[in-house]
Amino acid sequence: MSKIKDRLLFDNAENGLVVILNIDTKPVVPSQTPVASLIMPEKMLMAADRSFVLIYDDSAFNLSYFNTTTETVTSTLAVNYHTDSIVLSPDGKHAYAAVPNIPEQNTPPGAVLSFDLTTGLSGALIPVQGARRLAISGDGKSLLVFSDGSNSINYINLTGTTLTAVPVAGFDHPYTAYFGTDNTTAYVLNCGPECGGTTSSVQPAAITTTTQTPGVPLPVPGATIGNLNGTTLYVAGNDLTQPAGQQGTLSTVNVSSMTLTSSTALTDTTAKVNNDGLHVGMATFNNKLWIGSWNCSTNQCLSIVDLGSNAVTIPSTTGNVTSFAPSPLKKSMYVMQGAPVAGELYQFNQDTLTFTIPYDILGNGWDLKLLDQ
């Protein structure tokens, strides 16, 4: 064991190593040996109690169960196919993966796979055509499945004896969703024109084990990623009515009244740069909203919005953003940016937004998890 007091776990999609960094030291140093050697580790999911981390390998197509106390991989679960979306149940007992290309007999390809993390066994295979993204409720009872090019979502009752997907129509290229604290209202982000549809919007949906009913959509300029904080939903996407290179946008929605309270272009007016591309990551920290995208037009794919002034900062860091790890104890936001070629670790001062490279990753850093805070 590393015996490091404050550990930052990261994985390297180029050399396959999973490493623990000691962020209490200056300069930051790794533990003496990697804690896992995989092939192409990318996305990591950490249990709410921080007892384990699931590490997805996008070459071996499996999940490694990493015990954070012993700092060892104790088991491996086979996914067998590529997945873009994996979620953990809130109690840490199950995981679910959306697999769009898994072959299904007598049906189009696509399914959701379930895993029992208490036994280390695969569970149900739930057919869902082109299953791409997942959203799970805070009580772990409801799972929503999203497929590209569809105007429906699929609902899975995770409390049922047999897990089946129920299609729910009435959306406009739904991309993802966020559940309210009641766990029976999901706020669906309709991607609209950015995904080949008609209108981008936030659409509430009443979700129970017996009925799933779409509500009235609230149009927003663009919607592929969000962050729900109480009754405030922040939504980022691209406004295709704007010129190319100026389309990245942020909307603020009051979900209690379902009203659009503000809309801001993701443009740093000083640097004259806009954060467009496919917006895939968002985090709130120190009254700021951190938004990451992929394949943005200027390659500066990170934007930081001050929630007090709405001022937008786009740092000079470049490349696709793959991970955020806020650290109140260090008064820092750790960001992994640069994939899929050379993912680098950046440490941003929470107040000044200046950044350093605390540890130079050789290869392609992908995801980050703070294990002790």
Side-chain angles (χ1 to χ4, degrees), residues 12-33:
N12 192 323
E14 181 175 307
N15 61 23
L17 301 181
V18 183
V19 177
I20 291 176
L21 294 182
N22 184 348
I23 59 173
D24 284 328
T25 63
K26 291 185 179 180
V28 168
V29 295
S31 58
Q32 290 185 345
T33 58

Side-chain angles (χ1 to χ4, degrees), residues 8-335:
L8 178 65
L9 185 74
F10 83 89
D11 57 6
N12 192 323
E14 181 175 307
N15 61 23
L17 301 181
V18 183
V19 177
I20 291 176
L21 294 182
N22 184 348
I23 59 173
D24 284 328
T25 63
K26 291 185 179 180
V28 168
V29 295
S31 58
Q32 290 185 345
T33 58
V35 293
S37 182
L38 308 175
I39 302 176
M40 192 184 295
E42 293 185 347
K43 183 177 178 61
M44 300 193 292
L45 300 98
M46 185 163 60
D49 63 2
R50 303 179 187 274
S51 62
F52 70 87
V53 175
L54 286 184
I55 308 169
Y56 169 64
D57 190 316
D58 199 37
S59 180
F61 302 124
N62 59 31
L63 294 170
S64 293
Y65 187 104
F66 175 75
N67 184 304
T68 60
T69 300
T70 63
E71 297 178 354
T72 57
V73 170
T74 59
S75 62
T76 301
L77 299 165
V79 181
N80 293 324
Y81 297 88
H82 169 79
T83 177
D84 287 322
S85 181
I86 307 165
V87 295
L88 275 175
S89 62
D91 61 8
K93 294 181 179 180
H94 294 87
Y96 305 91
V99 185
N101 297 319
I102 189 170
E104 272 295 292
Q105 186 176 8
N106 301 321
T107 64
V112 174
L113 305 181
S114 72
F115 302 93
D116 188 330
L117 301 180
T118 61
T119 63
L121 299 175
S122 299
L125 186 154
I126 311 153
V128 178
Q129 182 177 349
R132 181 72 68 175
R133 290 169 298 277
L134 303 174
I136 192 169
S137 60
D139 58 6
K141 295 180 179 180
S142 298
L143 186 70
L144 300 182
V145 190
F146 303 84
S147 303
D148 292 341
S150 173
N151 285 327
S152 298
I153 63 176
N154 276 272
Y155 163 75
I156 300 173
N157 174 15
L158 296 177
T159 67
T161 304
T162 301
L163 301 185
T164 58
V166 178
V168 183
F171 301 92
D172 186 351
H173 289 67
Y175 200 84
T176 190
Y178 302 88
F179 279 87
T181 54
D182 62 3
N183 293 307
T184 59
T185 305
Y187 300 98
V188 176
L189 302 191
N190 287 312
C191 183
E194 191 173 352
C195 297
T198 303
T199 305
S200 302
S201 66
V202 176
Q203 186 171 0
I207 305 294
T208 70
T209 57
T210 55
T211 59
Q212 302 84 42
T213 307
V216 178
L218 172 70
V220 296
T224 58
I225 192 70
N227 186 290
L228 182 59
N229 187 359
T231 59
T232 300
L233 176 63
Y234 301 104
V235 180
N238 286 312
D239 181 358
L240 298 191
T241 66
Q242 299 300 312
Q246 302 176 35
Q247 296 175 342
T249 183
L250 171 69
S251 300
T252 305
V253 174
N254 183 325
V255 295
S256 62
S257 60
M258 283 307 298
T259 54
L260 178 64
T261 57
S262 69
S263 183
T264 303
L266 289 175
T267 300
D268 185 324
T269 56
T270 301
K272 297 182 180 180
V273 177
N274 179 276
N275 181 12
D276 54 7
L278 178 61
H279 300 88
V280 294
M282 186 180 292
T284 55
F285 177 58
N286 193 43
N287 202 40
K288 296 177 180 66
L289 197 64
W290 300 69
I291 304 168
S293 67
W294 275 60
N295 302 323
C296 55
S297 58
T298 65
N299 207 32
Q300 291 175 241
C301 299
L302 172 65
S303 54
I304 308 163
V305 182
D306 188 301
L307 296 178
S309 65
N310 278 336
V312 179
T313 299
I314 296 183
S316 58
T317 56
T318 58
N320 297 331
V321 177
T322 54
S323 185
F324 294 115
S327 173
L329 292 179
K330 303 300 180 186
K331 296 183 178 180
S332 297
M333 172 67 90
Y334 294 93
V335 179

